Amino acid sequence: MLMKLKTGVMLLDDMLRGGLETGATTLITSKPFTEATPLAYQVAYRWLDAGYPVIYLTNNKRPDIIMEDMKRYGWDLTKFKEENALVFVDAYTGFMGIKSEERYAVLNPYDLEEVDGALLKAVNDVGKNSLIIIDSLSTMLDHFGEIVVEKFEEWRKIAVLNDSHMLYIFVEWDFEEEVKRRLRDRVDNIISLSPIEKGVILSDFFTIEKVGGKSIKPVSIPFRYVKPGGMKIYIPKILITGPYHAGKTTVVHALSTRAVSVQRGETTVALDFGHFEHKGFQADLFGTIGQQRFDPILEQLGGETLGVILVVDSTDPSSFPRAIEMLHKARVYGLPLVVFANKQDLPGALPPEKVRELMKLPKDVPVIGTIATKKVNIIEGIEELLKLVFKGVSESDVDNP
Amino acid sequence: MSTTREILRSLLMEFNRNSGALASALVTRDGILISSALPEDVDAEAFAAMTATMVGAAETAFSELKAGAAERVIVEGSRSKIVAVGAGENVILVAMAPKEATLGLILHEIRKVSDKIKKVLS
């Protein structure tokens, strides 16, 4: 029986067309210094939590270190290990000349056949629908050379015959291009993790290069690892702007798990800043100042924005031209934009469609009626913005099968 | 082989050691964190955003007064001081040091490390 399990990372699951499938293989390839193991932990946790077994082959860390590391990301897998739902194939401790305490210990990790034998035994004992993590393929290549590539076919058969999923962790050291190409050819899915330097901003991105055996147009999604929590899609800046007294500070605070504001009385005088977290997304929110005299700071803070929420007071159409002017001043006009037609609970509030008409907003800009003080439509509004920021990532960029 | 991120972080840690600063960070002028050597309980992103706002406000105040260019922002607090200086076109280096720390030494070390940072980021 084939099944698909989600990784728990939004967009990644969409791009993988629902998650990781049994009977298939996935390569997580990463540049040195961008970690791939936390993603593997996350998948392992999802697998165990859904009631299916996980086999974790390690050749570069002790199993107890891995357990500790997982715990730091928020996944305590002790219970699963005690129940033998999580088993380690320990191909590391043997390097130290110490006897491993794991049931599937490799006495001589320098012998590929012995490693292979221990893995097969674990697979047979654990049964079907397992997730098999190979951590790491790069260390195997270091030890055994290219013969590992040949092993791929055998392991692929294990995945198919056993209804399992093989997940390879591969750190791209200085391997030959030919070896890398052959590895890439022989897996169903490729998730690549790499740091991208855009100007002076350094961020980690994941890219899906291949799904179900077919190459797809790669789209890069920014992420970061959080302890606890694991992989989160991360947007370093969403700008929340709008005229004076429209409710920007209330919006920032309503959206944030934690926020700081520089205020005098009820007026923001420097910046509202908040951390937003929702359904696997994280973003930092920058709320600007409304009054014209602070525009130089608005101009400064607009840079590197990925999406904009424009908050307007629906009862005050005279402020609408100023709202549009602020988008221009912050140089964010043309970026993904959602308009919050705020204060819908007040007498005389114009309905969202009227606000759109008066502001002459294009059809594709969502205008949402909100009541920030009561958190009405706030989350829905930012969800619309996230859809725009990641537009086309989830479905349309994946080639039709 | 080392990434830009690793290099920047080790430069900041070296700066903290040499200058006596307790914490330091690199921030873009528009408020995004580039790299930091801060205590773990500090909200680095919020600190970055506020630093950029502080420097931006100071620069604007200076230019409005036609008082020349603002070169650095120094804030003296009851227990510590914060020094923020441009380190390249779009980058601010901000350091936090104990109240007793010598400003001259901090500024000297900032100049030294800024040159290195500019090279790394150029």
Side-chain angles (χ1 to χ4, degrees):
Chain A
M1 181 196 76
L2 285 185
M3 60 163 199
K4 250 184 196 178
L5 277 182
K6 289 189 186 303
T7 63
V9 181
M10 298 261 293
L11 296 179
L12 180 61
D13 283 327
D14 293 338
M15 290 157 89
L16 289 168
R17 296 193 197 123
L20 299 177
E21 198 170 17
T22 53
T25 55
T26 298
L27 184 71
I28 303 180
T29 166
S30 70
K31 298 281 182 282
F33 301 106
T34 298
E35 284 185 285
T37 44
L39 178 58
Y41 299 161
Q42 191 156 351
V43 177
Y45 171 74
R46 300 288 296 207
W47 216 271
L48 290 163
D49 193 48
Y52 300 103
V54 171
I55 298 163
Y56 197 117
L57 185 148
T58 172
N59 55 18
N60 59 74
K61 301 183 266 304
R62 288 204 322 256
D64 57 315
I65 301 285
I66 294 173
M67 293 290 287
E68 277 305 310
D69 208 15
M70 287 173 165
K71 211 184 271 181
R72 272 194 283 277
Y73 284 97
W75 303 301
D76 187 351
L77 303 184
T78 314
K79 181 182 68 137
F80 296 108
K81 189 156 188 287
E82 283 165 5
E83 291 167 355
N84 286 323
L86 168 64
V87 300
F88 283 97
V89 176
D90 184 354
Y92 176 73
T93 310
F95 285 129
M96 319 293 233
I98 311 169
K99 196 173 176 304
S100 169
E101 297 185 357
E102 301 300 325
R103 186 181 317 176
Y104 306 100
V106 181
L107 291 177
N108 177 13
Y110 293 102
D111 181 349
L112 180 58
E113 290 314 311
E114 211 174 304
V115 175
D116 196 27
L119 180 65
L120 284 179
K121 189 166 179 327
V123 170
N124 281 329
D125 290 354
V126 162
K128 296 214 166 201
N129 292 325
S130 60
L131 169 74
I132 305 165
I133 298 173
I134 306 291
D135 179 7
S136 70
L137 196 57
S138 10
T139 307
M140 280 198 178
L141 279 167
D142 282 344
H143 285 310
F144 309 123
E146 287 181 34
I147 187 142
V148 173
V149 184
E150 307 304 323
K151 273 277 170 213
F152 252 54
E153 286 307 312
E154 284 174 42
W155 288 337
R156 190 193 168 76
K157 275 184 209 141
I158 295 178
V160 173
L161 292 174
N162 206 52
D163 287 342
S164 295
H165 190 92
M166 296 284 285
L167 188 65
Y168 298 103
I169 293 177
F170 181 63
V171 186
E172 291 191 25
W173 312 113
D174 300 330
F175 294 111
E176 280 173 35
E177 285 304 319
E178 174 62 14
V179 172
K180 286 197 251 185
R181 192 188 59 73
R182 284 166 64 201
L183 291 176
R184 284 167 179 273
D185 282 350
R186 285 168 168 74
V187 291
D188 297 303
N189 310 316
I190 301 174
I191 302 170
S192 93
L193 309 177
S194 59
I196 294 184
E197 294 172 18
K198 188 173 148 275
V200 295
I201 312 276
L202 318 171
S203 187
D204 285 321
F205 286 77
F206 69 75
T207 307
I208 309 288
E209 297 179 13
K210 198 173 171 186
V211 175
K214 283 185 187 156
S215 295
I216 61 168
K217 186 183 148 211
V219 184
S220 296
I221 309 283
F223 78 92
R224 64 176 175 183
Y225 289 120
V226 182
K227 293 178 189 175
M231 184 185 260
K232 305 278 178 189
I233 291 157
Y234 174 58
I235 306 174
K237 188 185 280 184
I238 287 179
L239 198 72
I240 298 185
T241 190
Y244 176 58
H245 216 64
K248 300 175 296 294
T249 303
T250 317
V251 168
V252 171
H253 284 258
L255 286 170
S256 300
T257 49
R258 185 178 174 274
V260 285
S261 290
V262 187
Q263 283 177 303
R264 282 292 169 267
E266 291 199 330
T267 303
T268 301
V269 292
L271 173 73
D272 298 312
F273 179 87
H275 297 294
F276 167 76
E277 176 153 12
H278 178 61
K279 290 185 181 168
F281 288 96
Q282 286 194 340
D284 287 336
L285 310 175
F286 286 59
T288 67
I289 319 174
Q291 289 114 316
Q292 215 142 3
R293 61 178 181 276
F294 289 107
D295 281 358
I297 294 184
L298 174 67
E299 286 163 35
Q300 188 186 12
L301 289 173
E304 305 294 346
T305 298
L306 287 178
V308 183
I309 294 174
L310 180 63
V311 186
V312 295
D313 179 347
S314 309
T315 67
D316 181 14
S318 70
S319 70
F320 294 174
R322 165 71 180 152
I324 298 291
E325 182 197 40
M326 289 181 82
L327 294 182
H328 286 289
K329 286 223 160 141
R331 294 191 207 96
V332 293
Y333 199 85
L335 288 178
L337 169 69
V338 171
V339 176
F340 282 14
N342 199 27
K343 306 195 186 182
Q344 286 292 319
D345 55 335
L346 295 190
L350 298 167
E353 275 317 305
K354 189 73 189 164
V355 172
R356 172 196 300 284
E357 190 191 315
L358 290 175
M359 290 181 75
K360 299 185 183 68
L361 292 165
K363 276 263 172 294
D364 55 351
V365 173
V367 182
I368 293 161
T370 59
I371 310 170
T373 49
K374 296 180 184 140
K375 302 197 181 188
V376 174
N377 272 349
I378 299 290
I379 294 283
E380 291 80 355
I382 200 168
E383 279 183 347
E384 287 297 316
L385 181 65
L386 292 173
K387 271 187 222 161
L388 292 177
V389 171
F390 294 110
K391 194 177 171 186
V393 167
S394 42
E395 307 99 21
S396 58
D397 279 300
V398 180
D399 294 337
N400 289 323
Chain B
M1 182 177 157
S2 193
T3 62
T4 310
R5 192 182 341 204
E6 310 290 314
I7 298 168
L8 290 177
R9 199 173 141 72
S10 58
L11 282 176
L12 289 178
M13 296 208 288
E14 183 187 300
F15 165 77
N16 287 1
R17 276 196 304 276
N18 293 346
S19 67
L22 300 171
S24 56
L26 283 173
V27 174
T28 65
R29 283 193 186 269
D30 39 36
I32 293 178
L33 185 71
I34 302 169
S35 180
S36 68
L38 296 168
E40 279 210 352
D41 57 344
V42 173
D43 182 340
E45 285 83 13
F47 179 66
M50 291 302 164
T51 298
T53 313
M54 210 164 71
V55 172
E59 284 173 348
T60 310
F62 258 65
S63 64
E64 290 299 316
L65 285 170
K66 301 186 175 54
E71 289 192 345
R72 54 186 159 259
V73 176
I74 299 168
V75 184
E76 304 206 322
S78 58
R79 287 189 290 132
S80 37
K81 60 182 113 196
I82 290 177
V83 184
V85 185
E89 203 180 317
N90 190 29
V91 182
I92 299 162
L93 173 71
V94 55
M96 188 191 78
K99 191 177 163 62
E100 310 76 43
T102 325
L103 191 58
L105 175 65
I106 296 173
L107 291 174
H108 174 69
E109 290 297 332
I110 285 182
R111 262 193 299 275
K112 261 170 55 184
V113 76
S114 295
D115 288 340
K116 289 182 193 167
I117 288 164
K118 277 180 212 164
K119 271 183 206 139
V120 174
L121 288 177
S122 65

